[in-house]
Amino acid sequence: MGTRMFVDSWRTVVAIIALVALIQGCASAPPRMNPLPAELSEQAEIPGMPNVKLWADRAPEHVEEWLKAPEELLRTRLGGIMDREHNYLAISGGGSNGAFGAGLLNGWTESGTRPEFTLVTGISTGGLIAPFAFLGPEYDQKLKEIYTSFSTSDLIIERSYVNIIRNDAISDTAPLRALIAKYVDEEMMQAIAEERRKGRILMIGTTNLDAARPVMWNIGEIARSGEPDALDLIHDIMLASASIPGAFPPVRIEVEANGKRYEEFHVDGGVTSQVFLYPLGLDWRKVEQRLNVQGKPRLFVIRNAYLEPDWETVDTRLPPILNRTISSLIRTQGIGDLFRLYLGSLRDGIDFQLASIPDDFDKVPAEPFDREYMNALFERGRSMSKNGYPWVDDPYGLESASTDWRPDEE
């Protein structure tokens, strides 16, 4: 297997399971409990928490409303991020490769140059990192523990082949959810809520499997909602964001529409996007102007993966063919998402900075969550960052190309 595009056997198993289930028609996973009908998808909200669940593929309508809000009201709600510089952080998916991002953040703190982020977003493993990155350096040690102390057996329970065919995934993620609950506790939720009151934003992405659309969750609004089940919902969202379909079970989230309760299925945000900042349909320049942002905003993107593909001579058997095919699809999707983010940054006048796993890191994990591998990757990210990470501002060579296609600078 290639050294830079390791894909664990889960993906092959998932594909084979799908074929077997299709042929045999024997799946008997727990039935859906009142799934949300398509005609109510635009009305569905989390009970007691309006506007915390947003489609990530279009501009939220309520943003236009607050853009027109009176100055006094705007300062009451967002005063802490007005009249100042803005730094944004977007953290990609990548499974155990999230150790790179965790190490980079730790090293960034050591360098003394790590800024406070106005907006933090995370997908998949990035969704697990994002709350700790959002709260800042005092949570670095917890982040390090999560990505250097645990192995596959600490995070999932692998099911037997018989149970796989009769269930919704090849693994049970109860241990992972318990780990999330251990680290993201009531105290941490209240810390997130306090930062939200200052105006700062923390978003985690999932995929609504029924709608096949990306969803952004406003974690800060959930944290400060005062609802008794807010912390459980945050745990569910973080788990869902990292739940690879087939490998991990979908997470069932209760919503309300027309006064009735329904169920949504949410899975890995990476199914629909590997990294995000805000819907590109949103005019971010208007946001910058309304908040009186000082200077040019900076976007830092942590890609917990490689930019370049590696060569692998593929065997003629089905498992390696499926492995290589799916890994290639995921990689090219991630590159496309980065490209879209880069173009959006150019359009909106944001300084783009990218970090990714260096091509010369050639260790290969022996299991999905290999502690030795993650420790090595964590240290590589940390060592690169503590002395000043070499951020890339032109990942595709566009600066040297014709600029006719670019938006005019104001």
Side-chain angles (χ1 to χ4, degrees):
M1 187 170 292
T3 58
R4 295 185 307 180
M5 290 183 65
F6 175 85
V7 178
D8 58 69
S9 59
W10 287 346
R11 290 178 181 143
T12 298
V13 174
V14 169
I16 294 173
I17 290 167
L19 290 172
V20 173
L22 181 64
I23 295 169
Q24 297 184 353
C26 60
S28 59
R32 296 289 298 272
M33 301 299 292
N34 201 20
L36 179 73
E39 61 270 19
L40 296 179
S41 61
E42 299 300 321
Q43 305 170 36
E45 297 273 12
I46 301 298
M49 305 182 211
N51 295 326
V52 302
K53 181 174 70 73
L54 312 167
W55 295 119
D57 53 7
R58 74 173 188 210
E61 294 178 1
H62 72 279
V63 173
E64 290 294 331
E65 296 176 8
W66 71 252
L67 280 172
K68 301 173 183 177
E71 182 78 9
E72 183 179 353
L73 177 59
L74 198 64
R75 289 193 175 278
T76 298
R77 299 183 62 183
L78 299 168
I81 61 172
M82 296 179 70
D83 309 319
R84 59 179 297 176
E85 295 181 348
H86 275 202
N87 293 288
Y88 312 131
L89 176 65
I91 313 171
S92 83
S96 63
N97 284 341
F100 172 74
L104 188 152
L105 286 163
N106 272 255
W108 202 350
T109 297
E110 293 179 50
S111 75
T113 62
R114 177 175 165 181
E116 178 181 88
F117 301 108
T118 312
L119 167 62
V120 177
T121 69
I123 284 275
S124 195
T125 196
L128 300 180
I129 296 172
F132 301 91
F134 178 75
L135 290 178
E138 65 182 280
Y139 286 83
D140 281 357
Q141 184 57 38
K142 286 188 176 182
L143 191 56
K144 178 180 180 180
E145 287 178 18
I146 292 170
Y147 280 92
T148 62
S149 303
F150 304 102
S151 299
T152 308
S153 60
D154 300 311
L155 304 176
I156 62 170
I157 301 171
E158 295 186 358
R159 291 168 170 158
S160 68
Y161 285 106
V162 172
N163 284 331
I164 287 173
I165 295 299
R166 297 182 177 276
N167 233 304
D168 54 3
I170 67 174
S171 305
D172 183 335
T173 51
L176 177 56
R177 195 185 192 287
L179 189 69
I180 292 171
K182 173 185 174 182
Y183 283 94
V184 183
D185 56 14
E186 179 71 27
E187 181 180 353
M188 185 171 176
M189 184 179 74
Q190 292 306 323
I192 292 171
E194 182 58 32
E195 293 305 310
R196 180 67 190 113
R197 292 185 187 99
K198 299 175 185 177
R200 296 178 62 217
I201 302 168
L202 170 61
M203 292 281 191
I204 291 178
T206 65
T207 296
N208 182 317
L209 199 55
D210 293 316
R213 293 177 65 186
V215 175
M216 301 186 305
W217 295 87
N218 192 327
I219 303 301
E221 285 297 315
I222 296 171
R224 75 170 186 173
S225 69
E227 292 294 316
D229 54 353
L231 187 57
D232 282 339
L233 178 59
I234 292 173
H235 296 160
D236 284 342
I237 292 166
M238 293 178 69
L239 178 62
S241 185
S243 291
I244 305 165
F248 296 165
V251 176
R252 301 164 185 244
I253 295 179
E254 186 179 63
V255 297
E256 186 175 76
N258 284 351
K260 295 183 179 180
R261 299 293 176 97
Y262 298 95
E263 174 190 85
E264 290 183 346
F265 252 16
H266 286 262
V267 297
D268 194 333
V271 170
T272 46
S273 178
Q274 290 293 311
V275 66
F276 76 103
L277 186 63
Y278 51 81
L280 291 185
L282 180 62
D283 188 339
W284 197 256
R285 285 185 182 267
K286 286 185 179 179
V287 175
E288 294 172 23
Q289 292 168 1
R290 195 71 174 90
L291 297 177
N292 193 30
V293 176
Q294 301 298 297
K296 189 175 185 179
R298 294 186 298 173
L299 166 61
F300 298 93
V301 181
I302 299 177
R303 174 169 164 78
N304 292 301
Y306 300 91
L307 282 182
E308 298 296 329
D310 66 338
W311 180 273
E312 178 182 339
T313 302
V314 181
D315 200 337
T316 57
R317 294 173 298 115
L318 178 61
I321 291 173
L322 290 175
N323 249 347
R324 190 63 170 175
T325 300
I326 296 172
S327 69
S328 299
L329 286 171
I330 291 171
R331 178 189 169 275
T332 51
Q333 179 204 18
I335 294 297
D337 290 333
L338 277 179
F339 190 77
R340 185 168 61 248
L341 209 56
Y342 179 66
L343 292 181
S345 298
L346 290 176
R347 182 199 66 184
D348 294 335
I350 299 172
D351 183 39
F352 181 93
Q353 300 289 315
L354 172 66
S356 61
I357 299 175
D359 291 340
D360 64 355
F361 184 81
D362 58 4
K363 294 185 181 297
V364 178
E367 57 180 292
F369 297 96
D370 182 335
R371 184 161 51 196
E372 182 178 342
Y373 170 84
M374 290 191 291
N375 270 272
L377 188 54
F378 177 94
E379 285 303 323
R380 184 60 184 274
R382 175 178 168 272
S383 65
M384 292 182 71
S385 187
K386 70 178 182 178
N387 295 318
Y389 189 87
W391 298 90
V392 175
D393 61 4
D394 180 24
Y396 305 108
L398 292 180
E399 289 294 336
S400 59
S402 170
T403 58
D404 294 342
W405 56 271
R406 291 202 202 145
D408 294 331
E409 292 289 339
E410 295 184 359

